[in-house]
Amino acid sequence: MEQGTLLDEALGSLHLSGRVVLLEDCVETSAAFVLHHILKRSLSQPPHSSNVVVFVAFAHPFSHYDRILRRLGCNLVVQKDNNRFFFFDVLVDCPDGEEGKNSDGGLVALYGKIQKTISALPQENKNCITVMIDDISLMEVAAKGSTNLVLDFLHYCHTLVSEFGCSLVMLNHDDIYSDTVRPSLILQMEYLADILIRAEPLATGLASDVHG
């Protein structure tokens, strides 16, 4: 409970609307809890709120997020029924570029679906949209290792920020690359980001009150 309160206070001072948020983590410390908290925060509005979340999942199926958000007091099934939560399971909705016919890993078709979903929203909802991506490193796998395809997709999503005033929230694992020089993908994402949040291990090591 205390962890949630501290995170509320930290995020509460940030205005995320119309901004790009990059979450970076490492093997020792996952930033998934921040992603889940932002998701809950985006949906924890009155039932008739115009806030909408478009969630692009490369990492887990819907059931994973639904289980976690229920523990946080947010029912994603109800939010889907109320057309406030749109979930794209990339492995299901865009499997491998439509059976290998395309070399883009299905990312172009995926963006088309996201854009179509947002365009179909009522006008009052278009000013309160959050697009969330979990996670970029697995998007690179879907794109068969092509950094250019991933960057193209992210730039497409960035146009939604300027066109509709969307918020864009992305999670990436900073330490999965073996190169001593930081890859251009990370540098480009950090350039696009208005807000950078890093989850790092404590300098003193693991602590039972933080890591459960």
Side-chain angles (χ1 to χ4, degrees):
M1 188 69 179
E2 183 180 352
Q3 183 189 58
T5 302
L6 292 173
L7 199 52
D8 276 326
E9 293 177 357
L11 293 177
S13 63
L14 300 176
H15 299 287
L16 304 184
S17 180
R19 306 181 81 179
V20 178
V21 181
L22 175 61
L23 309 176
E24 288 185 348
D25 64 10
C26 55
V27 173
E28 294 87 353
T29 308
S30 171
F33 72 99
V34 183
L35 185 80
H36 301 148
H37 196 84
I38 294 176
L39 174 56
K40 179 198 173 186
R41 179 188 179 196
S42 300
L43 294 173
S44 294
Q45 302 292 335
H48 301 294
S49 168
S50 57
N51 287 22
V52 170
V53 173
V54 178
F55 199 100
V56 184
F58 289 85
H60 304 286
F62 173 79
S63 58
H64 170 84
Y65 303 98
D66 185 43
R67 183 173 63 254
I68 292 174
L69 268 292
R70 282 178 188 265
R71 294 175 183 170
L72 299 177
C74 180
N75 190 321
L76 293 184
V77 174
V78 172
Q79 301 293 350
K80 284 183 71 176
D81 292 342
N82 291 335
N83 293 321
R84 294 187 58 205
F85 183 68
F86 297 87
F87 186 83
F88 291 95
D89 186 334
V90 176
L91 295 178
V92 174
D93 296 322
C94 302
D96 195 27
E98 296 182 359
E99 299 181 1
K101 294 180 182 178
N102 301 319
S103 59
D104 56 30
L107 294 182
V108 173
L110 175 60
Y111 175 75
K113 292 180 180 181
I114 294 170
Q115 187 181 45
K116 183 177 180 180
T117 297
I118 293 175
S119 298
L121 290 171
Q123 188 59 43
E124 62 268 20
N125 293 93
K126 290 183 179 179
N127 296 322
C128 307
I129 303 168
T130 302
V131 178
M132 308 187 76
I133 302 175
D134 183 16
D135 62 64
I136 302 299
S137 58
L138 291 177
M139 184 193 300
E140 197 172 7
V141 174
K144 301 176 178 61
S146 173
T147 298
N148 289 336
L149 286 175
V150 174
L151 287 174
D152 286 346
F153 181 84
L154 295 179
H155 281 291
Y156 294 153
C157 289
H158 191 262
T159 64
L160 299 175
V161 175
S162 56
E163 183 177 356
F164 298 106
C166 299
S167 301
L168 176 60
V169 181
M170 308 175 290
L171 173 64
N172 191 50
H173 306 304
D174 192 28
D175 62 347
I176 64 171
Y177 304 95
S178 59
D179 295 341
T180 54
V181 179
R182 303 191 79 198
S184 60
L185 175 59
I186 292 180
L187 296 176
Q188 286 286 333
M189 286 192 295
E190 291 181 353
Y191 176 78
L192 288 175
D194 298 302
I195 300 172
L196 174 60
I197 300 175
R198 282 196 178 99
E200 298 178 341
L202 297 173
T204 55
L206 299 181
S208 59
D209 58 335
V210 175
H211 296 88

